[in-house]
Structures are given as structure tokens and as C-alpha cells.
Amino acid sequence: MADAVGTTRRGRGARKTIRQTRDVTMLPALKRRLPLTEPMDQDQIEKIDAASMSVLEDVGVVFRDPIAIADWRAAGADIRDGDRVHLDRGLVRELISSIPSSFTYHARNPANNLPFGHDHSIFVPMTGAPYLRDLEDTRRNPTLEDLANFHKLSHMLPAMHSSAHHIVEPYDHPISQRHLRITYSSMKHSDKTFMGMTTSPKNAEDVMEMCVLLFGADYMQSHPVVTGNCNGNSPLVWDETMLGALRAFAKYNQPILCSPFVLGGANTPASVAPTVAQLNAEALSCLAYTQVVRKGMPAIYGHYLATVSMRSGAPMAGTPEISLMNFMIGQMARHYNVPWRTSNTLGGAKTLDAQAGYESAMTLNAVLMAGANYIWHSAGWNEAGMHCSMSKFVVDAELCAMGYRMAEGIRWDDFDAAMQAVRDIGPGGHYLGHSHTLENFQRAFFMPEMFDNNSIEQWQADGALDTNTRGLIRARQMLDEYEEPKLDPGIDEALGDYIARREREIPAADALNQEY
Amino acid sequence: MADAVGTTRRGRGARKTIRQTRDVTMLPALKRRLPLTEPMDQDQIEKIDAASMSVLEDVGVVFRDPIAIADWRAAGADIRDGDRVHLDRGLVRELISSIPSSFTYHARNPANNLPFGHDHSIFVPMTGAPYLRDLEDTRRNPTLEDLANFHKLSHMLPAMHSSAHHIVEPYDHPISQRHLRITYSSMKHSDKTFMGMTTSPKNAEDVMEMCVLLFGADYMQSHPVVTGNCNGNSPLVWDETMLGALRAFAKYNQPILCSPFVLGGANTPASVAPTVAQLNAEALSCLAYTQVVRKGMPAIYGHYLATVSMRSGAPMAGTPEISLMNFMIGQMARHYNVPWRTSNTLGGAKTLDAQAGYESAMTLNAVLMAGANYIWHSAGWNEAGMHCSMSKFVVDAELCAMGYRMAEGIRWDDFDAAMQAVRDIGPGGHYLGHSHTLENFQRAFFMPEMFDNNSIEQWQADGALDTNTRGLIRARQMLDEYEEPKLDPGIDEALGDYIARREREIPAADALNQEY
């Protein structure tokens, strides 16, 4: 089954034709070869660790969930005030020691499987936007069709390693049933790995059932195929909704991101290192809980992280402290030997203007140099996550490809041949016709397509298009060229039947979204 | 004289009033505390070194300049074919060993002096643009008034450590006399350090004479006050014009940037590591020559570096290989224990759109993590250097301030107090009213002014301005608020007399620029 889960070999010929004009082959999981930015020495790492552990011991973490409290009691934690869990550092260390430090994501197309953890990184699109900027750059509520378009782009963009889940919220479908259509869209329009909705325990169970139809229940027990996110309520609270979803994923041994939701200065102290210490305590408490639920299940040290402007209360990203905190969090995750997740390309620009570019690139650099494994929100994010931009989606993806190239490091394989070229050419010559140049020019220097390096005269002749407009044109072109990856018709039918049954069972009328 | 070179204490009251609305105090030279990105191990550093040295020995470097050839002959170099200088690695190592690894830049306002070298970095504006995008975003040839405006902005922007020289080319003045007005503009409108024109030996001599009037000849012999740039012609050629200018600077012991001008793939091999090896050989040959001219004079390992698109021939920057090469060049400069210069915010966007933002931020991150000392072209650069943008100038300067904050690293001084706040607040609380927050919020998280993080509703209420428009508004505001730093009237008059005399001496008519 691992050979071609849910796929057939048809359509390869047609795809090959397309590839002659645009290569949509996914880049392998990035294997980083640059040294990481590690600003803390061992004493400072231990200072953060000690501060976090004493918060877990003395202050405790609230698990607003009777099942979790019962689980913790059985695991030997000290429960006070009903739902406040005080965790001894010895217990925490013992629990997190069973988290796999690496594993492989299995996609329905095995060519898109991804080694994960250690020095591997993967790029995952943004999710959760209540608005999109569409192919006309109009900002509006999204539909299932818009979501499908983002999944199609995710499928085609080489630097995107996942189709994620609700990249945008499909407002044309009842909220109570939406997770079914979102999951199907992720599975159907791309054959890369994806994410599973954790908006309620029941929704997460539906995602698991649909994954069972695609991959098989036994297969899932030993193969990570999907990722769930468990957001915390900083400071120091986890709630029943997300913990229940976590347990649904645990039942099938699927990876969970343990993500404190941090607005630095509002729900943490107004300071970099203490914010990391609190976030670290929160992440540890959830990571430990995953192992209470199921020892050995894959879990990922997560976080969502913005800082708050003390002038306006607005969340800020792309700012220096976000970079510093990412460097530090990476060190902590490696200290605990667990893979970790960060957020890429965050920022507050309202359009794909220069601000969006500056913010996205600042964050991309930081998360690569921080050594993040699961680089979420890597395409499309703008307006503090309020919208996903079709144009920015494709431009960000090229930026990720450029970051990927940088993080791969230096090639030395042609060094001697190239130094011979220096001798051949000598002072005052030029290299354009030399055989080394002819043999290496295609791979030597990244040639971006969304970044225009032509003269202003050529640029004007091409229509004087700004980056946003070029991105919109590219997105339209790609959607025109999209070819659906084949899905086994039997599996497709089973998924349809499942959705139809569940949509009969789940009340829709009282759950229509007001905004649509 | 070092106390207040050319300045008086007047005007401080008025300046203080302005500072209540906008702080224009220069940031001290950045002292970097983040670990650097060093992708090469010692063997790889030595591999580059050995390749460069054997190029210097076997291929040689052409110095198209009879004086330099005579100098080299006297220094014991092996001259062949008239002007090809073959340099033994032992001679190169001996010569560069007398280059100061650090020194202090002295500004006419001593408050703006800058420690330089080792872990210090300074940001210097872009220079040399034949066009500007003006305060109305119109692209046109610049004038002396435009240049003055850029010098005024350089003076006011805290992250800019220099007013540079010809940020834009003043086309309304004869080219043969232009260097005099440019130098005066740098000196007059800002009291930070600046750059000196090296467009010919005579021009460089004029710059030195004007510096003598401002600082005194004896003072200059022991105090770096200005920086000159000596561009090479890659591969492996230095010309008479720039070498003559270098010698004019050497006469007054003023720092010279030794800058191979590299278009990777066109005048170097199409490969990262070999390009660095060639560039390194070129830089070494010029660095060594500075010490032939004057042993112990300050010299800076320089380069200008773009890669060439093998599709269009266009120069590219903000690309992954530029980052990698910066990391490597930083390692080589530290290997030789000399300070080094790089270029910041390079890129090929035609407007201040998202591309400009992405490119500028990619490069800023790379040069900071590479540990560059002299970070030239840090504000205003766009369109591959063809224009300097008023708007981008102020936006880039804020980006540099953000990079500065990141590179300063992590503060630990409030760690215990903040962790007490975590205990005080406990699960589910918020920090906005806590005394630690109130005491730290102003310094905790960078609050950018050119990056809008408000809600879209607030942004719309504010006029829905994109980054470019906000930058133009800011530039106009700053120029309205500009207060000229006082210059001793006697010095000012002497500079005026010098310029008047030289403009009588230098023919202007045959040197009018055609483009104006």
C-alpha cells in the first residue's frame, strides 16, 4: 500500500507535457546544511529550561477538560483547584523522552513522502483566513471553490510540501459540516501530505475516518499521514475542544502540533527571554500530555507567535523579537530532542506591497536559520492572517524556494573545474562562453520568475507590472494548467459516501455562518 | 579638535523640541551579539585561500597603472607582460598583516564617532544612482537639491551611520566639478561621517583638501574621517583612475574599500565557491597594494556583488547565492583579520513594491548574519542601483533599525522580574496592567512606524496608504522638520572659497552631462 496509496499511474504523460512548460515536481524535504543561529549558550538554555520547569511545578497549567485531568491524575501529576495541573520536572522529562525525534510523513503519492525532524524542514501553506484576496485582488469571504484553488496551487508549487487544510474558510458551506469538505478538498486536489481539522473532537474524528478511507486504519497506526494542531490559550491554559481533538489524532497515532498561542506582551511578559520561558512551559505541558495519552505518538513542539504593539494593541510580526524568539525556541526544541513548528511570512500588511515583502522575508530568514522543521504559514499570509492572497501565495512559494536554496548551503563539486576556468579566462576576460559556464549556468544562480530583474525599459514594455499583478497572472496561469492527481475511484466514492452520511447526521441549519 | 570638530553647541534647544516628536539621535555603531552564519569549516576556508593565492601567483593581476607597477616592482613582486603582477602568497600575507583590524571613524560631531571592525557594523546609504524617485514618486535625473535632501535624511535617520557621498548624481552641475559640490553637501547637511569621491585621482585630492579644511591635516593622519572606494574590474584588473584615487587617500591615511566589482557568471565562474575564490584573490591584491603604498593605512575588504541571470543577462540580487557568498566572504575577511564591506538591500524592483521588500530584507538578513562591518547601500537602492527612492530610503532605514535590534541579541536583565510576573498573573490572566509590562513595554518589542499593523478598518480610515505612499509622506515630514547641524562659519567659508577656486580652475563646458 505504501507504494501508491490511493493513486494510479495514469496521467503521467499529460503531466509530463505540462512540465515542459512549468515544473510542478515537489522539492524534496529540505535538508539544511547551513549552521543554525543559536544565540543562547548552554547556561542560558538551562536557565530557560529551569524557569519553565519551575512554572510547571509551582504555578501549574490549567487543563479545562475532565478527561485530561483524569489522565493526568493517573499519570501521577499533582492536581489542585480542580483543573490546575502541577507537573514535576522529572515527570515532564520522562514523558517527553518518548516523543519521536524524527519520522516520515507519508503522502498518498509516495513520491511526495517527507522525512521530518532533525535537519529536515518542510514548508506548509498558511491556513485559517476568513478572507481571501482573489484572482482579481478583491478581498471577500472565501468559498469551497476558492479553497480548492489554493489546494491546487499547493499541489503545483514545488516548494510547498503540504496542501494543509482550511487555507481559507469556505463560507458557502455550513460551519458544522465544513471540516468534511475541507478535508476532502485537501485530499482530492493534491497528493501531498495535508493537515486535519481540530476544531472539535468530533470533527477530528471525522478527519481520522476519512484518512482511514484513504490510507487504511492499520497503515495509519505506523505511518504519519496528516497533522493536527492543538492551540493553547496562553498563559498556561489548554481547553477541552483542542485536547479532545488531540486524543482523536492519538487514537490513530497521528502527529499533533502543541502550539501555545502567544501575543507577546499581552498574554506573556513584555520581554523576549521570559516570553520564551513561558511559551516553553506551555509547549512542554502539551507535549507531555500527548505521551500520557499515547506513549510514543508523534508530537511537535509548536507555537503561534506575534508581539503586541503597545501603542495600538495590534499584533506585529516580521519584527526583530520574533526572529530572536524563533532562534531561542529552536534551541529549546533541540534541547528536548523534539521536532518543532514555527510560522513563516507572518505580517500585518493589508496588500501585497513592500511591507508584506519585508515582513515575509525577515521571518523566512529567521525560521530557516532557527532550524524549524514544520514551517507553517509559508504562503499567502497577509493582514495578520485575516486574508490569504492568491498572488502572495505564489510569490511566497518562490521566496521559499529561494530560502530552500540558501539553506542547502554551498556546492563544492565543480570547484576545481571552475578554478581552471579562472586560469583559462585570465585578467579582463569574460566567462559567458566558457565550457564551465555552459555546463553550470542553469543551476549556478537562482533565476526567480516572480522577481523582475529586467531593465526598466523592458519592464515597461512588458506592461510595467508590479509584483502583486505578476503574482495574480501567475496564479491564473497555474490554475489553467492544473491537472488533478488521480485518486482511486473506489476511495473517492467511499469518501463521498462518508461525507454524505455525515452531512445527513450533522445539523446544518443552526450553524450557517453569519458572515457569508 | 577632537572634541567638537567644526561644530558649535548652538541649536541644541531647538533640536530637543523636535526630538519630542521624532528622535533623530544616531544609533551607536551596532555591536553584534548574535553568532554569525559561517558555512565553511577551516578546511574550506583554507581551500578558498589556497585557490585565491595560486591565482595571484600563477595567473597574476593586471594593474593598468605605471605608478602601481613601479610600486609593486619595488615591493618585490614578479611583473610580467608589462602590467601583470604575480604575487607570491608570502608577500601577500606579509603585506595585509599591517592592515588595522579595527579603528574609529571620527565625525565632525564627536557624538557620531563610530568604532569600526570586529563585531561592529555600520549602515551607509546607497550611492551612485543616476535617477531618483522623488517626493512625488517621479523617476527623473537628480539635482544638487535632491542630493541635499538625501543628505538631510541621512542626518536624521537613526540607523544611518554616514551621509555617504553621491547618493544620487546631481545632473544640474558639470560633471567635472560635481565632486566638489557633492563633498560639500555631505559635510554641510549632516554631521555624521561620510564618503569621498574617487572618480579620479584629482577628484580624490580635492576631497582630501576639503577634509583638511574641515578636520585639519595633522588630525587626519591619525584619525579616519572619510571613506573612499576603489572598484576593481573583474576578472583580475585594477585601473589607473581608482588606484590614483587610492593613493590620494593614502596620503592622508584615510580608509579605502578594496572592491572587486563582481557580476557572478559573467566576470566570474558560474558557481558560488569559485566566484568567492576569484573575488577573494582580487580583494587581496588591492588590500596588499594599499600597504605597499602606505604601510598601516586603514583598508577594508570590499566587493560589489550581483549574479547574472543566464536567461536575460540582468544582474540579480536578493537571491540565495548572494547570501551564501556574503557568509563566505565574511569568513575570509575574518581569516585575514581585516574589516570588510558588503552591499545591503540590493535588488532589481522598479518600484517600492513587494519585490523590493523581499529583496531588501533577504539581503539585510544575510549581511547581518555574515558579520559585515561596512554595510553600504543600506537605504534607497532599487532598480539594480539605477534609482534611489526617497520613500525606500526612509523605509529601508527603519528596516535597518529592526535588523540592528535583532543583531543586538537577547536581553536578560529583567528575566527574574518577568518570571515573577508569570507567577503573579497565573493561568488565563493577562499582562497589560502588570508593573513589569508597564516598566518594559517601550523597549520590549520594536514598534515600527513605516509598517502598518492596524486593522484593515483603521488602515482604511487612515487613507488605505501603501508602504510607498507612507514612505513619501514620512520623507516629506522629515525634510520639513530638518534642522541643519551647525558648521563653524570660518570652516564653511573656507570650503566655499576652495570650491569657488577649483571651479575656476576646472573646465566645465566640455564636461556637461548629456542626460540632464
Side-chain angles (χ1 to χ4, degrees):
Chain A
M1 190 151 189
D3 189 32
V5 179
T7 68
T8 78
R9 296 282 167 186
R10 289 188 303 250
R12 289 284 162 99
R15 209 175 304 160
K16 195 175 168 194
T17 308
I18 286 173
R19 281 181 191 166
Q20 287 169 356
T21 53
R22 192 184 316 285
D23 190 350
V24 299
T25 309
M26 191 183 82
L27 289 167
L30 167 62
K31 188 169 168 65
R32 285 176 275 101
R33 289 185 180 85
L34 283 184
L36 301 179
T37 302
E38 302 200 310
M40 293 191 290
D41 60 25
Q42 192 59 31
D43 284 351
Q44 290 167 329
I45 291 171
E46 285 168 17
K47 189 180 177 81
I48 296 284
D49 174 73
S52 302
M53 291 297 187
S54 65
V55 166
L56 293 175
E57 288 172 347
D58 304 341
V59 181
V61 180
V62 168
F63 283 74
R64 290 184 181 142
D65 174 23
I67 297 174
I69 293 299
D71 288 342
W72 273 122
R73 188 166 282 124
D78 171 19
I79 318 290
R80 301 180 208 166
D81 304 327
D83 61 2
R84 196 184 283 214
V85 180
H86 292 254
L87 292 168
D88 177 80
R89 67 190 69 196
L91 178 62
V92 172
R93 291 196 208 287
E94 186 197 326
L95 285 169
I96 64 171
S97 69
S98 54
I99 296 172
S101 60
S102 67
F103 55 83
T104 298
Y105 273 110
H106 293 264
R108 71 174 172 94
N109 177 357
N112 292 335
N113 289 355
L114 297 164
F116 183 77
H118 298 310
D119 51 3
H120 282 107
S121 295
I122 62 171
F123 294 113
V124 180
M126 84 158 285
T127 66
Y131 295 87
L132 89 158
R133 280 194 181 271
D134 66 13
L135 290 168
E136 308 301 323
D137 205 28
T138 302
R139 185 181 180 275
R140 60 172 171 78
N141 283 138
T143 64
L144 278 167
E145 186 185 350
D146 297 317
L147 177 62
N149 282 340
F150 281 114
H151 285 149
K152 292 173 184 176
L153 292 176
S154 305
H155 178 64
M156 298 177 78
L157 289 162
M160 288 299 112
H161 293 110
S162 166
S163 58
H165 47 5
H166 62 149
I167 295 174
V168 291
E169 274 292 330
Y171 277 73
D172 56 344
H173 204 69
I175 192 166
S176 60
Q177 302 173 346
R178 211 177 271 167
H179 62 288
L180 300 162
R181 302 297 183 110
I182 292 166
T183 305
Y184 179 73
S185 184
S186 299
M187 291 173 163
K188 175 77 169 172
H189 299 111
S190 168
D191 59 11
K192 301 181 182 180
T193 191
F194 53 96
M195 299 184 75
M197 300 296 287
T198 50
T199 34
S200 77
K202 282 278 180 206
N203 290 358
E205 286 166 18
D206 279 328
V207 171
M208 290 298 103
E209 291 304 321
M210 292 175 73
C211 287
V212 165
L213 294 173
L214 184 57
F215 293 98
D218 290 347
Y219 183 85
M220 285 172 69
Q221 292 297 338
S222 53
H223 294 78
V225 300
V226 64
T227 309
N229 183 52
C230 181
N231 271 337
N233 301 325
S234 298
L236 298 166
V237 177
W238 298 93
D239 72 26
E240 188 170 13
T241 304
M242 303 239 97
L243 294 170
L246 181 162
R247 287 189 293 267
F249 273 62
K251 192 175 163 197
Y252 287 95
N253 211 22
Q254 294 303 306
I256 282 286
L257 308 172
C258 301
S259 305
F261 191 95
V262 167
L263 299 168
N267 62 20
T268 71
S271 189
V272 164
T275 291
V276 171
Q278 179 189 312
L279 181 158
N280 187 54
E282 293 165 346
L284 287 172
S285 68
C286 183
L287 288 165
Y289 182 62
T290 64
Q291 304 305 300
V292 171
V293 174
R294 180 169 181 158
K295 184 168 176 161
M297 78 172 276
I300 300 166
Y301 184 133
H303 68 81
Y304 174 86
L305 182 55
T307 57
V308 168
S309 167
M310 295 291 160
R311 273 201 293 264
S312 65
M316 304 186 296
T319 43
E321 294 80 14
I322 300 291
S323 299
L324 291 173
M325 289 193 265
N326 270 301
F327 300 146
M328 297 172 78
I329 293 165
Q331 289 191 270
M332 296 314 299
R334 288 187 290 278
H335 179 66
Y336 302 121
N337 198 27
V338 292
W340 69 288
R341 163 246 159 153
T342 190
S343 304
N344 197 356
T345 74
L346 300 193
K350 263 55 76 180
T351 62
L352 181 44
D353 70 346
Q355 176 181 345
Y358 283 111
E359 289 171 332
S360 298
M362 290 302 280
T363 313
L364 173 69
N365 274 280
V367 302
L368 283 171
M369 302 314 279
N373 303 111
Y374 196 98
I375 309 183
W376 197 359
H377 301 316
S378 281
W381 180 287
N382 219 354
E383 199 197 327
M386 288 297 288
H387 81 251
C388 182
S389 154
M390 279 275 175
S391 175
K392 190 166 186 289
F393 204 84
V394 298
V395 179
D396 282 345
E398 181 159 84
L399 191 75
C400 290
M402 291 167 73
Y404 184 110
R405 175 74 69 92
M406 179 184 80
E408 283 184 304
I410 307 156
R411 292 178 176 130
W412 292 91
D413 54 347
D414 67 332
F415 189 77
D416 293 338
M419 292 316 296
Q420 183 55 49
V422 176
R423 288 163 189 268
D424 296 343
I425 301 297
H430 71 83
Y431 288 76
L432 294 175
H434 193 277
S435 60
H436 176 271
T437 307
L438 297 174
E439 282 158 22
N440 288 278
F441 77 90
Q442 282 187 302
R443 65 163 213 175
F445 304 122
F446 196 101
M447 288 181 273
E449 299 189 349
M450 302 312 304
F451 297 77
D452 184 299
N453 285 297
N454 290 327
S455 68
I456 194 160
E457 293 78 13
Q458 183 62 47
W459 176 76
Q460 284 164 338
D462 292 341
L465 306 179
D466 71 2
T467 311
N468 188 41
T469 308
R470 292 198 299 272
L472 290 170
I473 292 169
R474 172 57 55 97
R476 286 183 214 122
Q477 284 172 344
M478 291 185 73
L479 291 172
D480 284 345
E481 294 169 7
Y482 171 75
E483 186 192 0
E484 189 174 289
K486 292 294 178 282
L487 180 63
D488 182 283
I491 290 175
D492 202 3
E493 192 181 337
L495 288 168
D497 291 347
Y498 183 84
I499 293 168
R501 174 169 68 79
R502 291 292 292 143
E503 291 194 345
R504 287 191 301 273
E505 293 169 0
I506 300 172
D510 61 344
L512 275 169
N513 193 291
Q514 302 302 312
E515 284 196 73
Y516 187 70
Chain B
M1 189 151 190
D3 188 33
V5 179
T7 68
T8 76
R9 296 281 167 187
R10 287 188 303 248
R12 290 284 162 99
R15 209 176 304 159
K16 194 175 170 195
T17 307
I18 287 173
R19 283 182 189 163
Q20 286 168 358
T21 53
R22 192 183 317 284
D23 191 348
V24 298
T25 309
M26 190 183 82
L27 289 166
L30 167 63
K31 188 170 168 65
R32 285 176 276 100
R33 290 185 179 84
L34 282 184
L36 301 179
T37 302
E38 303 200 311
M40 293 192 290
D41 61 25
Q42 191 58 32
D43 284 351
Q44 291 166 327
I45 291 171
E46 285 167 18
K47 189 180 178 80
I48 296 284
D49 173 73
S52 301
M53 291 297 187
S54 66
V55 167
L56 293 175
E57 288 171 347
D58 303 341
V59 181
V61 181
V62 168
F63 283 72
R64 291 185 179 143
D65 174 23
I67 298 174
I69 293 299
D71 288 342
W72 273 123
R73 188 165 281 124
D78 171 19
I79 318 290
R80 300 180 208 166
D81 303 327
D83 60 4
R84 197 185 283 214
V85 181
H86 292 254
L87 292 169
D88 177 80
R89 67 189 70 197
L91 177 62
V92 172
R93 290 197 209 287
E94 184 197 328
L95 285 169
I96 64 171
S97 69
S98 55
I99 296 172
S101 61
S102 67
F103 56 82
T104 298
Y105 273 110
H106 292 265
R108 71 174 172 95
N109 177 356
N112 292 336
N113 289 355
L114 296 164
F116 183 77
H118 298 311
D119 50 4
H120 283 106
S121 295
I122 63 172
F123 293 113
V124 180
M126 84 158 285
T127 66
Y131 295 87
L132 88 160
R133 281 194 181 270
D134 66 14
L135 291 168
E136 308 301 324
D137 206 28
T138 301
R139 185 180 181 276
R140 58 173 173 78
N141 283 139
T143 64
L144 278 167
E145 186 185 350
D146 297 317
L147 177 61
N149 282 340
F150 281 115
H151 285 149
K152 291 173 183 178
L153 292 177
S154 304
H155 177 63
M156 297 177 78
L157 289 162
M160 287 299 113
H161 292 111
S162 167
S163 57
H165 45 6
H166 63 148
I167 295 174
V168 290
E169 274 292 330
Y171 277 74
D172 57 344
H173 204 69
I175 193 166
S176 60
Q177 301 172 346
R178 213 178 269 169
H179 62 288
L180 300 163
R181 302 297 182 110
I182 292 166
T183 305
Y184 180 72
S185 184
S186 299
M187 291 173 163
K188 174 78 170 174
H189 298 111
S190 168
D191 58 13
K192 301 180 181 178
T193 191
F194 52 96
M195 299 184 75
M197 300 296 288
T198 50
T199 35
S200 77
K202 282 279 180 207
N203 290 358
E205 286 166 17
D206 279 328
V207 171
M208 289 298 104
E209 291 304 319
M210 291 176 74
C211 287
V212 165
L213 294 173
L214 184 57
F215 292 98
D218 290 347
Y219 184 84
M220 286 171 69
Q221 291 297 339
S222 52
H223 294 78
V225 300
V226 64
T227 309
N229 183 53
C230 181
N231 271 340
N233 301 327
S234 298
L236 299 165
V237 177
W238 299 92
D239 72 26
E240 187 170 14
T241 304
M242 302 237 99
L243 295 170
L246 181 161
R247 288 188 292 267
F249 273 62
K251 191 175 162 198
Y252 287 95
N253 211 21
Q254 295 302 308
I256 282 286
L257 308 172
C258 301
S259 305
F261 191 94
V262 167
L263 299 169
N267 61 20
T268 71
S271 189
V272 164
T275 291
V276 172
Q278 180 189 312
L279 181 158
N280 187 56
E282 294 165 345
L284 286 172
S285 68
C286 183
L287 287 165
Y289 182 61
T290 64
Q291 304 305 301
V292 171
V293 175
R294 179 167 182 160
K295 184 167 176 162
M297 77 172 277
I300 300 166
Y301 185 133
H303 67 82
Y304 173 86
L305 183 54
T307 56
V308 168
S309 168
M310 295 290 161
R311 273 201 293 265
S312 65
M316 305 186 294
T319 42
E321 293 81 13
I322 300 291
S323 299
L324 292 172
M325 289 194 263
N326 269 301
F327 300 146
M328 296 172 77
I329 293 164
Q331 289 191 270
M332 296 315 298
R334 288 186 291 278
H335 179 66
Y336 302 121
N337 198 27
V338 292
W340 69 288
R341 164 246 158 153
T342 190
S343 305
N344 197 358
T345 74
L346 299 193
K350 263 54 76 180
T351 61
L352 180 44
D353 70 347
Q355 177 181 345
Y358 283 111
E359 290 172 332
S360 298
M362 292 301 280
T363 313
L364 173 68
N365 273 281
V367 301
L368 283 172
M369 302 314 278
N373 303 112
Y374 196 97
I375 309 181
W376 196 359
H377 301 316
S378 281
W381 180 287
N382 219 354
E383 199 197 326
M386 288 297 288
H387 81 250
C388 183
S389 154
M390 279 275 175
S391 176
K392 191 166 186 290
F393 203 84
V394 298
V395 179
D396 282 345
E398 182 159 83
L399 191 76
C400 289
M402 291 167 74
Y404 184 110
R405 176 74 69 91
M406 179 185 78
E408 283 184 304
I410 306 155
R411 291 177 178 133
W412 293 91
D413 54 347
D414 67 331
F415 189 77
D416 293 338
M419 293 316 296
Q420 183 54 49
V422 175
R423 288 163 190 267
D424 296 343
I425 301 297
H430 70 83
Y431 287 76
L432 295 175
H434 193 277
S435 61
H436 176 270
T437 308
L438 297 174
E439 282 157 22
N440 288 279
F441 77 91
Q442 282 187 302
R443 65 163 213 175
F445 303 123
F446 195 101
M447 287 181 273
E449 298 188 350
M450 301 314 303
F451 297 78
D452 185 301
N453 285 296
N454 290 327
S455 67
I456 195 161
E457 292 78 13
Q458 183 62 47
W459 175 75
Q460 285 165 337
D462 292 342
L465 306 178
D466 71 1
T467 311
N468 189 40
T469 308
R470 293 198 299 272
L472 291 170
I473 292 169
R474 172 57 55 96
R476 287 183 213 123
Q477 284 171 344
M478 291 185 73
L479 291 172
D480 285 344
E481 294 168 7
Y482 172 74
E483 186 192 1
E484 190 174 289
K486 291 295 177 285
L487 180 63
D488 182 284
I491 291 175
D492 202 1
E493 194 181 333
L495 289 167
D497 290 348
Y498 184 84
I499 293 169
R501 174 168 70 81
R502 291 292 292 143
E503 291 193 346
R504 286 193 301 272
E505 294 169 0
I506 302 171
D510 61 343
L512 275 171
N513 194 292
Q514 303 302 312
E515 284 195 72
Y516 186 72

